[in-house]
Amino acid sequence: MIIDFHTHFFPDKIAQKAITMLSKYSGGITPCTLGTAESSKDILKKSGVEKAVLLSVATNPKQQKNVNDFAVSLISDSMIIPFGSVHPDSEEIFDELKRLKNAGIKGIKLHPDYQNFFVDEDRMIPIYKKIAEMGFITVFHSGIDIGFPEPVHCTPERLSHILDAFDGAPVVAAHLGGYLMYEDTLKYLCGKDVYIDTSFSCGKVPPYYAKQIIANHPCDRVLFGTDMPWSSPEDELSFIDSLELNAGDRDAILYKNAKAILNL
């Protein structure tokens, strides 16, 4: 079994526009899907992935409801586990969290660069506490985003400052704890009560850092992810294989940890 904890796709009517725009902002990166649910599921199935977490981001307050309507529409999908998103500047943020909880959504994606907040701002703490209180998993984009200039809004160090606000509720730091900031992951996040995912690693992360991070972090806190459509399941599985993990750790990363955190 394989569970991909980090994928992206969009409603059919906006998928092409969204993919084209994001590819341009990210330096012309070539997507491996058409950005739709069906094209994404086809690629996942061909790579042996049985379930995948969809991570969408509300990039402005007005977009929040539409993004979450799409997530809720996928609740009954046997393959996709949709997460919602809330925007820190929305006046309806707490009502929206209640709506998502009642709909059966299991997690919330926050992207501090896209949503223009520093992860350790004081104003975010009540939001984190409410998310945790309601039993959501929280996924943060962590580290550099290649589509955005400085400053980096969620460094591993900044993220480490706010873990206590979640009072043990699951927090996931994407991209090995901080894209292109792996020394900081080792220094500030390894060994802490935080999950890390392995998304967008193949051809981008020196295997040395991945091996060091996994060796210095509890193996039951590492989740396989791709960042599809920006990296394919085939490539990311090859990256995991390149790390020469023992069978138990490999299975934990590829599906057992995700299965546990998602209560599957």
Side-chain angles (χ1 to χ4, degrees):
M1 186 178 190
I2 302 170
I3 299 174
D4 185 343
F5 211 89
H6 193 135
T7 72
H8 307 285
F9 52 84
F10 309 91
D12 290 356
K13 64 182 180 181
I14 67 167
Q16 183 176 3
K17 180 179 179 181
I19 285 288
T20 300
M21 178 187 69
L22 289 168
S23 176
K24 178 182 177 181
Y25 288 158
S26 299
I29 188 170
T30 302
C32 67
T33 76
L34 299 176
T36 63
E38 289 308 310
S39 67
S40 301
K41 288 164 69 173
D42 285 345
I43 295 294
L44 290 164
K45 290 174 183 176
K46 288 176 182 176
S47 300
V49 177
E50 295 185 28
K51 292 187 178 295
V53 173
L54 167 66
L55 302 176
S56 301
V57 180
T59 58
N60 62 66
K62 292 181 179 180
Q63 190 188 56
Q64 179 176 266
K65 184 178 184 300
N66 289 338
V67 165
N68 290 328
D69 284 348
F70 181 54
V72 171
S73 75
L74 293 164
I75 280 288
S76 61
D77 191 290
S78 62
M79 186 175 192
I80 302 302
I81 302 166
F83 279 20
S85 184
V86 290
H87 196 284
D89 296 330
S90 170
E91 294 180 359
E92 290 82 34
I93 189 168
F94 294 114
D95 289 337
E96 189 68 0
L97 287 170
K98 291 178 184 176
R99 180 171 82 98
L100 292 171
K101 186 66 177 179
N102 290 336
I105 294 293
K106 295 185 176 185
I108 302 296
K109 170 68 183 290
L110 297 173
H111 196 310
D113 293 317
Y114 279 31
Q115 297 177 311
N116 195 32
F117 69 93
F118 286 99
V119 70
D120 55 354
E121 288 182 37
D122 288 343
R123 69 181 177 116
M124 297 301 300
I125 301 303
I127 298 173
Y128 298 154
K129 288 182 177 293
K130 177 57 69 171
I131 290 172
E133 176 188 311
M134 298 179 75
F136 288 112
I137 301 164
T138 307
V139 180
F140 287 98
H141 171 89
S142 186
I144 293 169
D145 186 293
I146 58 176
F148 283 80
E150 299 279 356
V152 180
H153 288 82
C154 182
T155 65
E157 181 178 8
R158 285 183 178 272
L159 183 58
S160 72
H161 295 161
I162 53 89
L163 294 177
D164 287 347
F166 290 89
D167 194 27
V171 176
V172 181
H175 311 301
L176 283 175
Y179 185 59
L180 299 179
M181 304 186 80
Y182 310 117
E183 291 282 1
D184 284 356
T185 296
L186 285 164
K187 183 175 181 179
Y188 296 109
L189 293 182
C190 280
K192 299 288 181 65
D193 186 16
V194 61
Y195 290 81
I196 61 174
D197 80 28
T198 65
S199 58
F200 204 63
S201 292
C202 184
K204 294 100 179 169
V205 179
Y208 167 81
Y209 282 116
K211 290 178 180 179
Q212 288 295 307
I213 289 169
I214 291 171
N216 286 279
H217 196 62
C219 191
D220 64 355
R221 293 292 186 271
V222 183
L223 304 162
F224 172 71
T226 61
D227 205 18
M228 192 180 70
W230 310 118
S231 189
S232 71
E234 182 179 7
D235 285 348
E236 294 301 325
L237 287 167
S238 293
F239 181 79
I240 295 297
D241 288 341
S242 77
L243 302 179
E244 300 179 329
L245 302 168
N246 65 56
D249 288 351
R250 185 179 186 276
D251 285 349
I253 292 168
L254 290 185
Y255 75 94
K256 288 184 176 179
N257 297 338
K259 192 174 180 180
I261 193 177
L262 293 166
N263 293 315
L264 298 178

